[in-house]
Amino acid sequence: MTDRAVRRRRQALFLLFFLPGIALSSWVTRTPDVRDQLGLSTGQMGLVLFGLSVGSMIGILCSGRFVSRFGTRPVIALGTLLIIVGTAVIGAGSAVPSAPLVTAGLCLFGAGMGGGEVAVNVDGADVERITGTAVLPTLHGCFSLGTVIGGSAGMAATAAAVPVSWHLAVVALVATGILVHAMRAVPVGIGISISAAPSTPVNGPGPAQRPGPQVWKDRKLLLIGAIVLAMALAEGAANDWLPLLMVDGHGLDAALGSLVYVGFAAAMTLGRFSGTYFLGRFGRAAVVRASAVSGAVGLLLVIFSDNAVVAATAVLFWGLGASLGFPVALSAAGDSGPDQTARVSLVAIIGYVAFLVGPPALGFLGDHYGLRSAMVVVLIFVTSAVLIAPAADTRSACSPT
């Protein structure tokens, strides 16, 4: 690819990370309104969120095989389209109101996130290989920037009492335009031959099956996956529950709960856009360790402080801490050994399992013990990432460090 084509491809990936961020934060900031319109308890809301889990698992389980067989481009297009359709269906379900329809919309949304985002990460890792520079932290920064913009719009819509259905319909229309524009620069064929064994035809049976066992047996790669599991759970817990956590756990109103979430998203954005500098200066292991410490401190204060101002401020530490674990671990997975697609897919799958399946489980705990107490589980996982941070220190020619 020419330098111009690589630049256009990287810019397209920026947009394809940006789009799900807008869609996700638009839904998250309206969760208190959706819950009230549906008349659900916290536990019942966890059941609705289970639709997100089911969809995400379908997308996750299919993503690696689909990328290996068809390449990243069609998987990205289909996944992003499902996110858009899911967003519109969630809005329609809130208007009826119908909990099953909202659940169905979340299932479509989850399938798009679980499948399409794995493919986008594989494509981003390939751009890192071509350019020899850290790209994934900035790409994930675009996702976080999308959550800031979408969250800010959602906060304004909440304060202005804009119906959730109207709000999400506009988001779906904007996202459609972004998708059509971005897909023009995404090349075909990425990921197909990387996962296939050398002697296996690309379209032969089981293109991604032969390398799989070796990848699963790689101890260091599994430790990298554990880092992703912890840090993605920290991010996913905030994305699904933070507004309600601040409303139910610290007595804020819905608009202020959304504002705290926007602060979290802004901290994530800052951490990711500044990540390349810190990775080059201190290395992956130190950055992951510092991120985990920051996230643990933020969670500790949010959980155990009874002062709403302290808790809201601590959310910034939570956001900074959660910002780099996922993209840095994906970069580490990509250059940890041969078969880049299989390695990145495995770690991304672990991350999206935590990102999309963990939060509904927190809802069930929150129904019995309160959302603040439920977040202790997240705190334990993030603290464990401090101990296994050295696993992220892989060295290769395409390593950002």
Side-chain angles (χ1 to χ4, degrees):
M1 298 181 69
T2 65
D3 289 344
R4 183 173 181 272
V6 172
R7 285 197 301 271
R8 290 182 63 245
R9 179 183 175 189
R10 185 165 51 189
Q11 290 166 1
L13 292 177
F14 288 161
L15 290 174
L16 290 167
F17 270 87
F18 179 75
L19 186 157
I22 288 180
L24 180 64
S25 60
S26 297
W27 144 250
V28 169
T29 53
R30 303 311 299 268
T31 49
D33 290 330
V34 172
R35 182 189 64 175
D36 293 344
Q37 286 180 296
L38 298 178
L40 303 178
S41 68
T42 300
Q44 290 170 328
M45 195 67 179
L47 285 174
V48 170
L49 287 172
F50 189 65
L52 195 67
S53 303
V54 171
S56 69
M57 287 305 300
I58 293 172
I60 284 167
L61 292 175
C62 295
S63 60
R65 182 176 296 274
F66 282 2
V67 169
S68 297
R69 186 171 181 83
F70 303 110
T72 57
R73 191 175 194 272
V75 181
I76 291 171
L78 177 61
T80 309
L81 182 62
L82 287 176
I83 291 173
I84 294 170
V85 173
T87 300
V89 173
I90 292 168
S94 70
V96 173
S98 168
L101 192 56
V102 172
T103 304
L106 286 169
C107 185
L108 292 172
F109 193 106
M113 285 285 289
E117 290 301 288
V118 169
V120 178
N121 278 293
V122 170
D123 213 285
D126 187 63
V127 173
E128 283 196 335
R129 179 186 61 79
I130 292 171
T131 61
T133 59
V135 174
L136 283 171
T138 303
L139 291 177
H140 282 260
C142 290
F143 174 87
S144 296
L145 180 61
T147 63
V148 172
I149 294 174
S152 298
M155 180 182 65
T158 300
V162 175
V164 175
S165 57
W166 294 6
H167 174 200
L168 296 186
V170 170
V171 171
L173 287 173
V174 172
T176 300
I178 294 174
L179 173 62
V180 171
H181 173 74
M183 289 307 301
R184 297 173 182 172
V186 179
V188 298
I190 302 301
I192 295 178
S193 61
I194 297 175
S195 289
S199 60
T200 304
V202 169
N203 292 322
Q209 290 179 2
R210 285 182 62 183
Q214 286 73 35
V215 169
W216 277 99
K217 291 177 181 178
D218 189 323
R219 181 175 176 274
K220 187 159 191 175
L221 186 63
L222 293 179
L223 288 174
I224 293 171
I227 294 171
V228 164
L229 178 68
M231 305 310 285
L233 181 61
E235 181 180 354
N239 283 336
D240 273 5
W241 291 113
L242 186 54
L244 282 174
L245 174 63
M246 299 308 296
V247 170
D248 294 349
H250 290 283
L252 301 183
D253 62 30
L256 286 176
S258 295
L259 178 61
V260 171
Y261 173 75
V262 171
F264 172 86
M268 289 275 294
T269 304
L270 176 63
R272 284 174 169 170
F273 280 123
S274 61
T276 301
Y277 168 78
F278 289 106
L279 286 167
R281 186 171 178 83
F282 301 107
R284 286 177 179 155
V287 168
V288 170
R289 185 180 292 110
S291 296
V293 169
S294 176
V297 169
L299 279 160
L300 190 69
L301 292 173
V302 169
I303 294 167
F304 295 107
S305 174
D306 292 324
N307 187 306
V309 175
V310 171
T313 303
V315 164
L316 301 178
F317 291 96
W318 183 354
L320 283 172
S323 63
L324 289 174
F326 200 168
V328 170
L330 287 176
S331 294
D335 60 38
S336 63
D339 201 351
Q340 183 189 51
T341 295
R343 289 175 176 275
V344 174
S345 294
L346 172 61
V347 173
I349 285 168
I350 292 172
Y352 283 111
V353 167
F355 189 69
L356 295 170
V357 177
L362 295 175
F364 290 105
L365 290 175
D367 201 35
H368 290 87
Y369 305 105
L371 281 174
R372 285 171 62 178
S373 297
M375 292 299 155
V376 172
V377 174
V378 184
L379 175 61
I380 293 170
F381 273 91
V382 172
T383 302
S384 71
V386 178
L387 303 177
I388 57 177
D393 191 18
T394 53
R395 305 289 184 183
S396 78
C398 61
S399 172
T401 58

